Amino acid sequence: MSRVPGRAIAGLAASVSFVVVVWAQGTGVFRLSRDHEAIEYSTRPTRNAIVRLNERVAKSELQLTFDAPPRGYLLPVLKALDIPSSSQTLVFSENSLQRAHISKATPRAIYFNDIVAVAWSKGADTMEATVLDATQGVQFYSIAQKPQQKPQFVRRTECLECHLASQTSGVPGLFAMSQLPLSDNQNEYAQGWATDHRTPIEDRWGGWYVTGTQVPARHLGNVPVVHVPRSYVRADVAPKLATGTSAFDASAYLTPHSDIVALLVLNHQVHMTNLLTRLGWEARVAQHEASRAGAKLPDVRQTVREVVDYMLFVDEAALPSGVRGSSAFAQEFSSKGPRDSKGRSLRELGLTRRLLRYPCSYMIYTETFDALPPAAKGYVYERLWEVLSGKETDKAYAGLSLADRGAIVEILHQTKSGLPAYFQPISR
């Protein structure tokens, strides 16, 4: 796993010139120990998707068949974890612990669903994975890429050297980064900037392949990031790739795509994951410490506002042009629902000026959201209602139209269990 600060399972990048952008995205972090009595990240038993997969294999309820190298356990693991191959995104910045296997000719492949990400590097001895545990946050695992009777994922705590930082909101988490070209690759630290849905498109995807049939002209993808004539020089227009086959030998990969729609979804999801984890941890600490005289409790209400703003895409960077991917990812992602009686879903994609047609994160359906302590979840619902009902009149929320807010409320009313009764149709 990672040992270079700034590393994410979703991919890495570096730039000295723009390191300040990392901190511009938000300053709220969890500041207590991950092993606080209310959390016990390192020692408390977990029940996440990787643990359940391991148990099924150990009990011979599931067999992971080892394919011929270089794929190894990739396909059976994706199938077992319900991760679509169309989610493949490709990162070629050479900053991973597996950097010997990563280049523009052999990019690292990331596959993901709402809670699990799998990272595969051609020729590497291990395959890595992260999983979002309902209460413990993101946990890190690897599996040996060699034939075994009952292969097991092994938890990797050393990943926290990089994956527990301000960029992850101070909790074990994920972040995707972008880098401008460097004249060499001797820089041992990824000094770039983290990206999420608030990052302008022109600042995303340095060190990544970006494929699609309709892609904005300006972004940082598809160009070399090491051993270039001059450092930190942006291409005026990003090279266009319908697929990756014209840039590298894609025969070993599950698809030839690094789909722009998958990249956009991933950019949203990594920070949403960290925010939900941080809120859950702060709320559990507050609940634990409430009876102690003089205890300084985390500011849960402030974190709730951050969570809700991000969940509602309040500061989303506008797409400069319409977007269309090169794979089946968009269709497969949107098809999962759930849907209301009008056929609407929070997973429906917009892709003209914004990512989602109805700007409310689909991660409200995750076990992590449902497992929030009742008080914290109640605060989230209260704040969501303040914004969606129109009670909140700050101009920061002017981008949420009445039609958007009304649709979100109606969809949630029919698809989200446990929604408070005060979520009713709105008219202002």
Side-chain angles (χ1 to χ4, degrees), residues 202 216-220 223 233-239:
E202 64 183 20
R218 289 180 58 82
H219 61 79
L220 298 177
V223 298
V233 176
R234 294 171 180 253
D236 292 333
V237 177

Side-chain angles (χ1 to χ4, degrees), residues 220-274:
L220 298 177
N222 297 339
V223 298
V225 292
V226 294
H227 304 308
V228 296
R230 296 176 60 194
S231 295
Y232 313 130
V233 176
R234 294 171 180 253
D236 292 333
V237 177
K240 292 183 178 181
L241 292 177
T243 71
T245 52
S246 61
F248 63 94
D249 180 2
S251 61
Y253 296 80
L254 300 185
T255 84
H257 309 287
S258 185
D259 192 288
I260 186 173
V261 181
L263 286 164
L264 289 168
V265 169
L266 186 63
N267 288 164
H268 162 70
Q269 188 169 302
V270 291
H271 191 54
M272 189 78 259
T273 294
N274 299 337

Side-chain angles (χ1 to χ4, degrees), residues 134-186:
T135 60
Q136 295 293 288
V138 174
Q139 297 179 337
F140 303 85
Y141 295 85
S142 67
I143 188 171
Q145 284 280 57
K146 62 181 181 181
Q148 303 171 71
Q149 186 175 2
K150 293 184 177 181
Q152 294 282 287
F153 278 94
V154 178
R155 192 167 173 185
R156 303 289 295 274
T157 57
E158 66 269 34
C159 300
L160 297 180
E161 294 176 13
C162 304
H163 287 278
L164 178 57
S166 297
Q167 295 96 323
T168 64
S169 297
V171 296
L174 305 175
F175 56 102
M177 297 194 74
S178 188
Q179 111 175 39
L180 286 174
L182 297 169
S183 59
D184 57 53
N185 66 344
Q186 301 306 308

Side-chain angles (χ1 to χ4, degrees), residues 328-351:
F329 177 80
Q331 180 180 358
E332 293 181 5
F333 175 83
S334 296
S335 68
K336 292 187 176 181
R339 297 184 178 275
D340 69 4
S341 59
K342 296 180 180 179
R344 298 174 298 184
S345 166
L346 295 184
R347 300 179 76 93
E348 285 187 56
L349 296 163
L351 304 181

